[in-house]
Amino acid sequence: MTAARGSPDLDAVIRRLAWMREQRIWPNGRRYLWTDAFGVVLLLSLSHELRDDRLLREAEWVVAEVDRVLGRPRGIRIGEAADRDGQYYHYLAMWIFALTLLGAIERRYYDKALVLARDIHQAFVVPGVGVHWKMREDLSGRYPGYGLGALDPFHGMVVYQLLDPDALADQIAELRAIVLGCYRTLSITQDLGLGMMLWLTHFMPTEPWAVTQRERALAMLDRMWVDPPGYFCREPTERDTKFAFTNFGVSLGLQAVGAHPARVRRVNAFFASYRSGDEYDTEAITHVMAGTSLFPGLFIRTT
């Protein structure tokens, strides 16, 4: 589902982006790698749709700022705030995806993505076992209190494949072995995880892991749909718990696999006026992912 040029959804994204700039929320706000990755892809999608190179240049500015503020000798810090130390593999994987799209336009971003993938892989991936969810900031070891990430091997395998299946063949093989060892028993129950898994499956839709996880995710989301008023709860047992940004992630996943367009519209309509009364009302992650939900653009493969 991609908004046509001049459509109400696209106009809403452009207005929200202008408001974020004015309020210094994003891209000129505090750096946070997950939000920056989604935002770069959103800017690239708008640039492609509107044929506006200014948006491409803005995406490149965000990349430079991430390098300046969050970049480390190996890898990239989670965020700028004091409590966002360390490195998350799934944030890095999403950043590699954003750089891959930029790399299709300018080669140096492909080079950056390849260096990053190779740098982080050896630190995070335990062959035959899994992928560490979070590492110390210098990648010297696992961050205390964190184990293995359930989606991380899927995320890494897919984005490495999109970046360069030949240059990263060894790394892909290690992740694929982990995926093949766990996909039959993996059951995701968190809203954003389900959305991201759906998104990942649409890049390799006929592979057995993708077929199994897509069916399982859609069935779980059926259990988590709260109607009225029209949102996905955080977990099946938490019917009243809802977050805008995680619902927008579910929306992206549903659009990627072409499922439940009516629910996508209901989610966007509900959260257009919903206010949580906490920091998420003004956090960049809420508004950048809202833009992605309304206009997924280059997040979704069309060929």
Side-chain angles (χ1 to χ4, degrees), residues 1-3 7-10 12-13 15-16 225-226 229-232 243-255 259-275 285-297 300:
M1 179 188 297
T2 301
S7 74
D9 284 348
L10 185 56
V13 174
R15 288 194 303 270
R16 190 182 294 248
W225 178 242
V226 180
Y231 65 80
F232 292 96
F243 295 100
F245 79 92
T246 59
N247 268 261
F248 296 140
V250 174
S251 168
L252 172 61
L254 291 174
Q255 292 179 75
H260 298 304
R263 290 183 181 178
V264 169
R265 290 191 293 271
R266 293 282 299 282
V267 162
N268 286 332
F270 174 77
F271 285 104
S273 59
Y274 172 78
R275 298 296 179 267
I285 192 171
T286 298
H287 300 285
V288 169
M289 292 193 69
T292 297
S293 178
L294 290 167
F295 182 60
I300 298 180

Side-chain angles (χ1 to χ4, degrees), residues 5 48 62 130 151 174 188 203 238:
R5 185 181 304 179
H48 178 78
V62 173
L151 268 70
E174 289 184 348
I188 305 166
F203 291 106
E238 300 177 15

Side-chain angles (χ1 to χ4, degrees), residues 188-202:
I188 305 166
T189 60
Q190 190 185 73
D191 52 357
L192 183 56
L194 290 161
M196 297 315 298
M197 177 59 87
L198 286 176
W199 176 69
L200 292 170
T201 67
H202 99 279

Side-chain angles (χ1 to χ4, degrees), residues 67-183:
D67 285 345
R68 182 183 69 84
V69 178
L70 304 181
R72 297 298 181 262
R74 292 178 65 205
I76 305 172
R77 178 184 161 102
I78 291 168
E80 186 174 355
D83 62 348
R84 291 173 172 176
D85 58 322
Q87 298 192 35
Y88 283 141
Y89 184 82
H90 60 298
Y91 283 27
L92 293 160
M94 189 57 72
W95 188 244
I96 290 170
F97 175 74
L99 292 177
T100 298
L101 294 178
L102 263 175
I105 301 169
E106 292 194 25
R107 169 79 185 202
R108 62 192 175 100
Y109 295 108
Y110 158 84
D111 295 335
K112 285 173 68 69
L114 192 60
V115 168
L116 179 60
R118 286 171 169 163
D119 271 353
I120 67 172
H121 183 89
Q122 187 175 8
F124 277 93
V125 178
V126 183
V129 177
V131 180
H132 291 304
W133 174 261
K134 185 177 183 180
M135 295 289 288
R136 295 183 187 274
E137 198 155 310
D138 61 358
L139 299 184
S140 62
R142 180 174 59 86
Y143 200 96
Y146 289 79
L148 301 175
L151 268 70
D152 289 9
F154 299 84
H155 210 158
M157 180 184 70
V158 169
V159 298
Y160 290 1
Q161 184 76 25
L162 294 172
L163 174 59
D164 194 324
D166 296 322
L168 294 171
D170 292 342
Q171 292 86 349
I172 291 169
E174 289 184 348
L175 291 171
R176 181 176 291 278
I178 298 169
V179 166
L180 294 180
C182 73
Y183 81 86

